[in-house]
Amino acid sequence: DIQMTQSPSSLSASVGDRVTITCRASQNIDKYLNWYQQSPGKAPKLLIYAASRLQSGVPSRFTGSGSGTAFTLTISSLLPEDLATYYCQQSYRTPLTFGGGTKVEIK
Amino acid sequence: QVQLLESGPGLVKPSETLSLTCTVSRDSITSGDFYWSWIRQSAGKGLEWIGRINPSGSTDYNPSLKSRVTISIDTSRNQFSLELYFVTAADTAVYYCARDVFAILGLVHNWFDPWGQGALVTVSS
């Protein structure tokens, strides 16, 4: 199985801060990487697909980048509604696998 | 906007079978280049993909669960279902159904969108 490792596991930032979350794959997955946001008590929601493509309706402050084994999700200016846990997921090969999540808290 | 909704018992006894159904609304389960997936989330193992099915009935399963899982589809009811056999406490989780979207972006990519709201299933006697 392809292992997905996220860092940090949690972070606390202020409104307006730039936030960066890292996801690493255990092998080359090209750009087969998706990002999801899970707000408290809710189901995950797609933010970014194919490493850098913004899902329709998702605010432009979210950007994804990377390829191969290293990927990042950046929130350019954190808002209170961005309080959530963020997950990466590889779609290169089955079984499809997820990272352990990064919990973003607001200071 | 397509919607998915999970339904089924919230409590299952150890060694019995967990059965859940996902009802798809506002679109046909046979439209587009989609598979339909089951994913679970537990405190211990995070998000775990269980498997998927397409409208023709072709399935992919996670090898870690393959021996205990069946996913089926009923296109006439716009539903797909999950059966997990011989459950233990380790199968306690929130179970999500999700649409598995495939698209050609140079190569074929896929992602989960949207997800159902989730169904908590507890395995306990």
Side-chain angles (χ1 to χ4, degrees), chain A residues 3 18 53-54 73-75 78 95 106:
Chain A
Q3 307 302 318
R18 182 181 184 89
R53 299 190 183 224
L54 192 68
L73 173 69
T74 300
I75 308 173
L78 191 67
I106 310 295

Side-chain angles (χ1 to χ4, degrees), chain B residues 28-41:
Chain B
S28 170
I29 203 169
T30 61
S31 69
D33 294 320
F34 306 129
Y35 270 69
W36 302 90
S37 275
W38 286 99
I39 300 156
R40 68 181 182 180
Q41 185 172 33

Side-chain angles (χ1 to χ4, degrees), chain A residues 87 100, chain B residues 40-47 89-94 120:
Chain A
Y87 295 94
Chain B
R40 68 181 182 180
Q41 185 172 33
S42 62
K45 296 193 75 175
L47 286 162
D91 295 310
T92 293
V94 175
L120 173 62

Side-chain angles (χ1 to χ4, degrees), chain B residues 106-123:
Chain B
L107 298 174
V108 177
H109 286 258
N110 70 290
W111 53 86
F112 300 118
D113 179 64
W115 298 53
Q117 67 182 22
L120 173 62
V121 179
T122 301
V123 179

Side-chain angles (χ1 to χ4, degrees), chain B residues 9-76:
Chain B
L11 181 65
V12 182
K13 290 182 168 55
S15 80
E16 296 192 345
T17 297
L18 179 160
S19 296
L20 292 171
T21 295
C22 181
T23 301
V24 178
S25 59
R26 300 188 178 183
D27 199 3
S28 170
I29 203 169
T30 61
S31 69
D33 294 320
F34 306 129
Y35 270 69
W36 302 90
S37 275
W38 286 99
I39 300 156
R40 68 181 182 180
Q41 185 172 33
S42 62
K45 296 193 75 175
L47 286 162
E48 182 179 28
W49 176 72
I50 299 169
R52 65 188 176 192
I53 191 166
N54 73 2
S56 300
S58 177
T59 54
D60 288 317
Y61 295 125
N62 191 322
S64 68
L65 295 166
K66 186 174 184 177
S67 64
R68 297 195 293 130
V69 170
T70 297
I71 296 175
S72 57
I73 194 164
D74 185 339
T75 56
S76 66

